[in-house]
Amino acid sequence: MTLDVMLIHSFERNAYRARAMHDFLEFALNKQPEERISHDEVARWAGALDNWAFYNVTALEIAIGYYRGELDYTFCDGAMNDLWGAVQAGFGPGNIQVPEPFFEIYLAFDAGEYHRKPDKSDNPVADFTNPLIAELVTRLGL
């Protein structure tokens, strides 16, 4: 196979993956807020629950959308929680490898879920999630 043909195939695969992630996020955004993303739905879009590339690319799209103000915290946190459940379901016997940067993004949204001050006068999303996502986007040059 020539270099040109390999580049075309690579572009087609990347374009397909980008479209699949976009379609998955559109699907997730169109669910009612109280509806969860099921493992079966993740498997339908990812091809398998242990498709770490799917989780990484999807998490990056969520982080970028959040950073740009296109996606809100509630949606992103819920989607990442649902995807985390699917990641855990995809662990095989003796294999508890966690995809990165998926896990870093999951932890960034998780950090916004709870207050650190007893009187709840802090803002965990602004204090923790926002800087973590901004640092990740900047570091990865996204």
Side-chain angles (χ1 to χ4, degrees), residues 81-129:
N81 284 333
D82 291 346
L83 290 170
W84 174 241
V87 164
Q88 291 175 312
F91 289 158
N95 180 16
I96 56 169
Q97 194 175 13
V98 180
E100 285 291 348
F102 170 86
F103 192 58
E104 182 180 358
I105 296 166
Y106 164 77
L107 290 174
F109 285 106
D110 189 59
E113 290 181 0
Y114 56 95
H115 294 275
R116 276 57 168 196
K117 294 183 178 181
D119 66 355
K120 298 183 180 185
S121 63
D122 58 337
N123 182 340
V125 173
D127 296 342
F128 297 99
T129 300

Side-chain angles (χ1 to χ4, degrees), residues 11-22:
F11 174 78
E12 288 172 348
R13 277 192 307 275
N14 289 336
Y16 172 78
R17 267 190 231 145
R19 184 70 191 158
M21 295 319 121
H22 175 77

